Structures are given as structure tokens and as C-alpha cells.
Amino acid sequence: MNSATCLLRSAKGTPPSLPISILFLQNYGSRRSVVVGRASKPVVCRRWQQTAAAAVTRAKEQDRINGPETTRPAPLVIPTTAPNANIFWKLINRGRGYMTFYKTGLKNVAVNYRAARRIRARIKEEAPPGITSLWKLPPSILSRADFILMRRSEVDVKKIPVFSLTLLVCGEFTPLVVPFLGAIVPLTCRLPDQITSDLKRREERRRYSFRNFDGPQPPDGGVSDPAAPATSRGGGGGGSGETYLQSLAREHLLHISRSLNLHWRRLPESSSSMISFPPTTVLRSRIRRWQRYIETDDNLMRRDGGVDGLIPAEVRIACAERGIDTVRYTDEQLRGTLKSWLRHTQGKDEWGMIPLLMKRFFVRIHVPAFLLHQSSPSVN
């Protein structure tokens, strides 16, 4: 069962009740206390809820392809201090700026959670029978912006309990701790420097994996020609994506998982005959989920306006999710690369993107356009 089907089935079920972490977020910053025995009627701060919910509604009405602004980090604003202030008060003001940034991010997680519940309820009520993939739903029911909101909300909500505890314990010193605990930080609470450093570490890990890859050639020469038709690659010409994924060796799975950062970089890797770690079944399952998420995102992106409709921040996020380096390249270069990605994967099974991951996929935008038309895009 693919991830889109799981989301669709969860949307058709009864909307889940609010988890305790969301109840905490709703009351975070409120002066009124919350009685545990009355969790079903939480005391909430209405002002930020109504403002953020209205922002999500406006974004949905104006933009159907970009994720709402509440799904990305808010601007980091550090209060100004007097020039003659001592270092102590400067640090206090900086800490207050960070706390405001984190509180805004946590509130946005709660707003996104509620908006995602409304989207799932709409899908439950209006989805035609027999639909098994979210990208096949009519545009009036689901847009790419809705899909991105549901996806990011689902990921961020799982990180709230541990991150909230860290924020309560560390307070203004949280920015000194999060570089060592990046995996627990929701996307809405990631500092700009933290995002850049995480991307650099991922790209260095990807380069290391390419330099040290010594596995066998992928089946049916799938790596040698990423732009070839789907029937000429993998699965014996017409085999299913699952058959192709099962035919990949463990070395291929480890390489793809490193390139996409699907398992923790500090996790020890072993491929001995006695034990394989991370387990091959876990690697294959994570790659399968990633494939189907990207397949849904690609189709919704094509349907709702294409790459030209994406803002620069969403272009960078989309490229990073597809294993494309972003730190050293401009927005226009990445936009052209993403267009080429959609061109190569259009009309193919979800497994058709695996050959692109076995090489560093990047179109060199500085190459003259007539050369790009005469030959296939260069691949690093």
C-alpha cells in the first residue's frame, strides 16, 4: 500500500482526536492554566489561532502549488539593543528573539494540524469512489498546497513532544542544543543557519557515498540512461516498480538511502553475512515510501502549474527532497534542474526515478540552450 493510499484511507476514516502535544501547543503562552481532567475542552489563545488560520485560508485561495507559509520557518527577528548595552543584555535580547521564533513555529504546527484535519474531512466527504492515489483526485478537492500541508504537518507533529520538552528545559539556550539534535526539530522551528548546515552535511554525505560506491551495476542498465523510456529500463521491459525495487542489491539501497538521508548518518552500517544493519527490508520500505511520496508530488506539481509557479523556497525544498544539491547553486539553476527532473519522470512508474538517484542529477544551466536541445542534459 503506498503512502498516498494510506493518507487517503486515513482521510476517509474518523478524524483523530487532538494529541496531548497539540493541546500543549494550543495553551502555550496562555496565562490561563489547563486542567488535565478537562483536556476535551482546552483553554486556547484565540488570537494567534484565528490569525494563522486566516493566513492558511488566504494562501490556499491565492496559491494552489506552494505550501502555505505556516509550513515553513517564520522570519527570525532579533530585538535591537542600545549600542552601549553590556553583553549580558545583548544575550538576553537574542535569547528572547529565539524564544519568539520557536513559539511561533510551535503555534504554526498546531495551525497546520487543524488545517490538515479539515482537508482530510473534505476528502472523506467529496472524494469519488475508487480513487486510490491522492494525485488522481479532482483539483477542487486536493491541490498540491493541500498535499504539502498534510505531509509536513504529519512529519512535524511527531517531533513536537521531544522538541517541546527540550524547549521547556533549555529555554533561551535551545539554539545551542538543536545543532546536536537536528532530527527532533520541526521544519517550522528550524533556524536559517541550521537549515544550511544540515543541507551541507547531507550533500557531503551524498558525495562520500558516490565516491566510495563499489556495488554491482544496477539491473538492466537502468543507471546508464536515465532519460530512456520506462519500457527499456528495469523489470524486463514492463515489470512493475516493486519488481525492480526488489531486484536492487543492498549496496544500491544503502547508496540511495544515504543520498536521500533516509537513515541516520551516525547509524553504523554493516553488510556482513551474519548481520545487515540497517536491515535491508527497512531500507527498501523507506525508499518505497519516498518513491510514492515524490510520485504524488511530481504529478500534483505538473497539474497545478508546474515549476514556474513555485517560489524559490519551495524550489529548494523540492530539490533537496529529490537528492539534488542546492547549497552551491542559484534559484534559476535549481528551477531548471527541477523542470528536467519532471521531464524525465513524466509518464513513468514511480520506480523510474531510481536511475536518477544512482547519478548526481543536475542540469548545468550555463550550457547554451541549443546544446541542451542537441544532447541529453548532463549528469554529474
Side-chain angles (χ1 to χ4, degrees):
M1 182 187 303
N2 57 37
S3 58
T5 305
C6 293
L7 282 173
L8 187 61
R9 290 193 176 181
S10 64
K12 292 184 177 180
T14 303
S17 58
L18 285 174
I20 189 62
S21 58
I22 297 299
L23 294 180
F24 165 78
L25 291 180
Q26 291 177 333
N27 295 276
Y28 192 80
S30 176
R31 296 184 179 182
R32 298 178 63 185
S33 59
V34 180
V35 180
V36 177
R38 299 177 182 176
S40 58
K41 296 183 179 180
V43 181
V44 296
C45 182
R46 298 293 181 186
R47 180 178 300 175
W48 69 261
Q49 273 193 351
Q50 295 172 355
T51 303
V56 172
T57 303
R58 287 195 302 269
K60 287 173 58 180
E61 293 175 351
Q62 300 172 0
D63 194 347
R64 295 183 55 82
I65 189 170
N66 293 294
E69 188 177 357
T70 55
T71 63
R72 298 185 297 274
L76 175 61
V77 179
I78 303 298
T80 58
T81 55
N84 57 350
N86 58 39
I87 188 65
F88 174 77
W89 289 111
K90 290 182 179 180
L91 293 177
I92 290 296
N93 276 345
R94 181 170 291 271
R96 288 174 179 173
Y98 283 125
M99 285 297 294
T100 301
F101 171 80
Y102 286 131
K103 288 168 64 176
T104 302
L106 291 175
K107 293 173 182 178
N108 285 342
V109 173
V111 170
N112 295 336
Y113 176 82
R114 289 184 172 275
R117 287 186 61 185
R118 290 194 294 270
I119 295 171
R120 292 188 176 95
R122 185 174 70 242
I123 295 175
K124 172 189 173 184
E125 296 174 359
E126 303 178 10
I131 298 294
T132 58
S133 298
L134 287 177
W135 62 270
K136 296 181 181 179
L137 290 172
S140 59
I141 298 179
L142 182 74
S143 65
R144 181 183 183 269
D146 296 333
F147 174 70
I148 291 297
L149 187 147
M150 288 195 299
R151 166 75 178 187
R152 294 177 185 172
S153 174
E154 182 182 9
V155 174
D156 286 347
V157 165
K158 296 177 182 178
K159 300 180 180 181
I160 287 300
V162 179
F163 180 73
S164 300
L165 180 61
T166 304
L167 188 62
L168 288 174
V169 173
C170 300
E172 289 83 353
F173 298 98
T174 302
L176 303 177
V177 179
V178 292
F180 306 98
L181 302 172
I184 69 170
V185 183
L187 177 61
T188 58
C189 298
R190 289 182 175 270
L191 297 168
D193 292 342
Q194 182 187 0
I195 294 176
T196 303
S197 61
D198 286 348
L199 289 174
K200 288 181 178 179
R201 279 195 295 266
R202 292 185 181 189
E203 293 179 10
E204 178 57 35
R205 184 186 188 189
R206 191 178 301 129
R207 287 192 289 269
Y208 175 84
S209 183
F210 276 106
R211 287 195 303 265
N212 296 274
F213 179 75
D214 56 355
Q217 182 75 4
D220 292 343
V223 178
S224 60
D225 188 9
T231 56
S232 64
R233 293 197 311 243
S240 66
E242 183 63 28
T243 302
Y244 183 81
L245 186 61
Q246 293 291 337
S247 66
L248 291 177
R250 176 175 172 80
E251 290 82 357
H252 302 142
L253 300 176
L254 272 175
H255 171 71
I256 294 173
S257 182
R258 293 192 206 104
S259 298
L260 299 174
N261 200 49
L262 297 183
H263 67 275
W264 191 31
R265 60 189 178 91
R266 299 188 184 277
L267 201 64
E269 297 176 358
S270 173
S271 299
S272 64
S273 57
M274 298 294 295
I275 184 173
S276 296
F277 196 80
T280 304
T281 54
V282 173
L283 294 175
R284 188 172 284 114
S285 175
R286 292 185 177 183
I287 293 173
R288 184 184 297 113
R289 289 198 300 268
W290 173 87
Q291 283 179 306
R292 289 163 180 168
Y293 160 65
I294 295 297
E295 181 198 20
T296 303
D297 190 33
D298 285 351
N299 285 284
L300 290 175
M301 194 182 302
R302 294 188 192 98
R303 190 196 68 184
D304 290 341
V307 180
D308 291 332
L310 295 176
I311 62 176
E314 288 292 333
V315 170
R316 291 188 171 272
I317 293 175
C319 287
E321 289 178 337
R322 288 157 176 80
I324 301 172
D325 292 353
T326 61
V327 175
R328 300 176 296 166
Y329 303 108
T330 65
D331 295 335
E332 289 304 315
Q333 288 177 312
L334 295 176
R335 195 179 297 274
T337 303
L338 190 56
K339 288 180 180 178
S340 185
W341 173 282
L342 294 181
R343 198 162 54 244
H344 288 335
T345 58
Q346 187 171 12
K348 299 180 176 66
D349 219 352
E350 69 269 11
W351 64 271
M353 61 189 70
I354 283 198
L356 302 180
L357 300 176
M358 298 303 295
K359 285 193 175 184
R360 298 183 65 191
F361 185 83
F362 186 82
V363 178
R364 299 184 183 276
I365 304 302
H366 61 270
V367 177
F370 69 90
L371 291 180
L372 291 179
H373 288 300
Q374 293 177 1
S375 60
S376 60
S378 60
V379 181
N380 287 348

